[in-house]
Amino acid sequence: MTNSAVPERLPNYDPNIRFDLDETQREILDQADRFARNELYPLAPRMDEEEWWPEEAFPKMGEAGYFGITVPEEYGGVGMDLFTSGLLLQAFGRWNHALALSWVAHENLCLNNIFRNANEAQRKKYLPDLCSGKKTGALGLTEPGAGSDALGSMRTTARKEGDEYVLNGSKIYITNGPVADILLIYAKTDKEKGAHGISAFIVEKDFPGFKVAQKLIKMGYRGSQTAELVFEECRVPAENRVGEENRGVQIVMSGLDLERAMISPLCLGVAERALELSIEYAQTRQQFGKPIGKFQMVQSMLAEMYVDVETLRTFTYRGLAAAEELEVGSGPRGDIHMLTAASVMYAGQAVNRVLDNAMQIHGGSGYIWESEVNRLYRSIKLLEIGAGTTEVRKMIIAGELLKDMK
């Protein structure tokens, strides 16, 4: 196992000095960075080695005020904005990207979605425990036969029986699935209407008929728990339906734009850490009697990494700022839809390039499973296939650019 001691910052590389953030935002990023470096970084090696879930992590993050960022204080939240959430995710991604992935699934996909779309009774019932970290949230959309066509190919159904809905079907690749207490689940309430016959439901893990079918072991982001979920005559109170019946597509689509905006800062955090590790290695690794950082080929790779990281930062912040304009309950529209897709598309590709160069600089030491850069490298592919593949992102962008074409 690698040494999990808190690392020192390089004196000539400080990713927290940002002239494009205001003073308050820089302080938020600095504080989150210190918290993640001290509290989350030491957990990362064991999470990766054992697919281990640190049960104390979420309550500790909740106690520190790192949940419910976009939720008003009356529900137990912090009452800030999506941009602030992105800054926190960026910091968490630097030091424990697996836990950062679980954080964003809880914070953005579940908690923020419930706040944006639930009624007052649902908010009061579920948000306080999610904001405190006492309970863990997840979102269930993807199915074994429904990935990129998640809405059109959805087979999970919900039929109304008195004051309950009865859910049948399965969901797969669900982040936080094995540890979630509260899940936001999409199911078809009117199969004849296709994608426009979907509704959203809040499901508690103890509802009869719900079970975790299997925990899935992954190549990267290990320790962030992922599962297949099964609903067999799962009974959900009708009062747990979120929004109107057959109007779930609006919740899905507005949530997907926010999800895309919030994936980018995770990529940014990983890329920043990879660059920092590579600079340190180039300064200390000796070959032919001098540090490898003296060689122009290594310098070239570092320069390319730096340009990718800084471009990624700019695009990430722009996407977050644009996503702030999405109204509660609104669907995708125009430039925001295109911009968030472009942001996460670039982020996934850029972090791939950064880690490829980082591995090349580290050479054999980076190829060793237990090294930190190897752990980062194994994370990169997920962000080109999760939250919509790169190919789907291209379709979204091109569709907006050519929407007036006859």
Side-chain angles (χ1 to χ4, degrees):
M1 301 267 298
T2 55
N3 187 354
S4 60
V6 177
E8 295 294 331
R9 281 293 190 195
L10 293 176
N12 63 338
Y13 178 71
D14 186 355
N16 295 326
I17 298 176
R18 293 290 151 247
F19 299 102
D20 47 356
L21 300 178
D22 62 33
E23 184 177 352
T24 299
Q25 291 168 331
R26 285 197 296 271
E27 180 59 26
I28 289 170
L29 182 58
D30 288 346
Q31 289 179 355
D33 180 89
R34 287 192 294 270
F35 175 86
R37 193 165 12 138
N38 286 291
E39 302 294 340
L40 307 184
Y41 182 75
L43 306 174
R46 183 181 171 190
M47 289 181 69
D48 186 71
E49 182 66 23
E50 302 175 15
E51 276 273 353
W52 168 66
W53 175 251
E55 294 184 358
E56 74 280 6
F58 268 27
K60 185 176 291 186
M61 296 172 86
E63 185 178 348
Y66 288 134
F67 286 128
I69 306 306
T70 57
V71 174
E73 294 181 15
E74 63 184 290
Y75 304 113
V78 179
M80 299 188 78
D81 56 19
L82 186 76
F83 198 98
T84 300
S85 282
L87 294 178
L88 299 182
L89 182 57
Q90 176 186 347
F92 299 157
R94 293 170 179 170
W95 301 108
N96 189 326
H97 58 276
L99 200 49
L101 180 66
S102 289
W103 179 90
V104 75
H106 169 101
E107 171 73 15
N108 183 254
L109 301 187
C110 181
L111 196 165
N112 187 56
N113 249 334
I114 290 176
F115 165 65
R116 284 166 51 84
N117 299 287
N119 60 38
E120 190 66 11
Q122 292 166 341
R123 289 176 174 180
K124 288 181 177 178
K125 181 177 181 179
Y126 291 109
L127 290 179
D129 282 347
L130 289 170
C131 289
S132 69
K134 292 179 181 177
K135 291 189 176 179
T136 300
L139 177 141
L141 176 62
T142 301
E143 299 183 0
S148 296
D149 185 22
L151 300 180
S153 300
M154 185 179 295
R155 293 187 176 181
T156 299
T157 60
R159 70 176 188 272
K160 186 79 179 294
E161 287 190 357
D163 59 356
E164 293 180 321
Y165 282 89
V166 182
L167 273 62
N168 283 283
S170 63
K171 303 291 180 180
I172 202 165
Y173 312 133
I174 306 305
T175 302
N176 293 348
V179 295
D181 304 289
I182 300 168
L183 305 98
L184 185 61
I185 300 296
Y186 295 99
K188 281 192 174 178
T189 39
D190 190 337
K191 291 187 285 187
E192 299 300 319
K193 293 183 178 180
H196 295 284
I198 292 171
S199 301
F201 301 90
I202 297 174
V203 176
E204 299 179 26
K205 68 175 182 179
D206 296 325
F207 282 176
F210 167 76
K211 67 178 181 180
V212 177
Q214 60 173 324
K215 174 186 170 182
L216 303 171
I217 307 302
K218 306 184 299 297
M219 176 178 76
Y221 285 92
R222 292 166 55 81
S224 174
Q225 306 293 290
T226 307
E228 179 183 8
L229 311 176
V230 171
F231 305 87
E232 296 177 341
E233 295 290 293
C234 176
R235 296 193 168 270
V236 179
E239 64 189 27
N240 277 33
R241 190 192 69 222
V242 179
E244 299 178 26
E245 188 173 88
N246 298 330
R247 298 297 296 274
V249 67
Q250 293 182 340
I251 300 174
V252 173
M253 298 308 293
S254 64
L256 285 176
D257 271 339
L258 297 176
E259 180 184 0
R260 293 185 187 108
M262 283 293 290
I263 289 295
S264 297
L266 177 53
C267 296
L268 175 57
V270 170
E272 286 179 321
R273 182 58 181 157
L275 176 57
E276 186 173 43
L277 287 169
S278 298
I279 294 170
E280 181 179 32
Y281 193 79
Q283 291 174 336
T284 56
R285 171 66 167 166
Q286 297 274 333
Q287 286 292 287
F288 302 102
K290 55 185 176 182
I292 63 171
K294 295 285 188 179
F295 298 109
Q296 289 183 339
M297 293 297 283
V298 173
Q299 293 174 3
S300 175
M301 286 185 280
L302 289 173
E304 290 174 356
M305 293 169 71
Y306 174 78
V307 171
D308 271 329
V309 168
E310 292 306 311
T311 308
L312 172 54
R313 187 189 320 282
T314 300
F315 214 162
T316 293
Y317 291 170
R318 184 183 174 199
L320 285 170
E324 287 286 1
E325 300 176 13
L326 280 173
E327 300 172 0
V328 173
S330 68
R333 63 181 191 275
D335 290 345
I336 292 177
H337 190 42
M338 178 169 57
L339 182 59
T340 55
S343 172
V344 71
M345 173 182 154
Y346 182 81
Q349 294 175 331
V351 74
N352 196 318
R353 293 192 298 268
V354 168
L355 263 299
D356 188 65
N357 276 323
M359 282 288 284
Q360 195 70 19
I361 290 170
H362 280 78
S365 67
Y367 200 68
I368 302 303
W369 181 274
E370 293 184 344
S371 68
E372 185 175 354
V373 74
N374 186 281
R375 185 162 71 236
L376 296 176
Y377 185 81
R378 284 184 275 110
S379 78
I380 58 178
K381 199 60 188 176
L382 175 63
L383 302 178
E384 291 185 299
I385 58 178
T389 64
T390 296
E391 290 72 25
V392 168
R393 296 162 192 168
K394 289 179 179 179
M395 290 168 59
I396 292 169
I397 296 165
E400 291 294 333
L401 293 174
L402 299 173
K403 63 184 177 182
D404 296 327
M405 182 177 67
K406 295 181 180 180

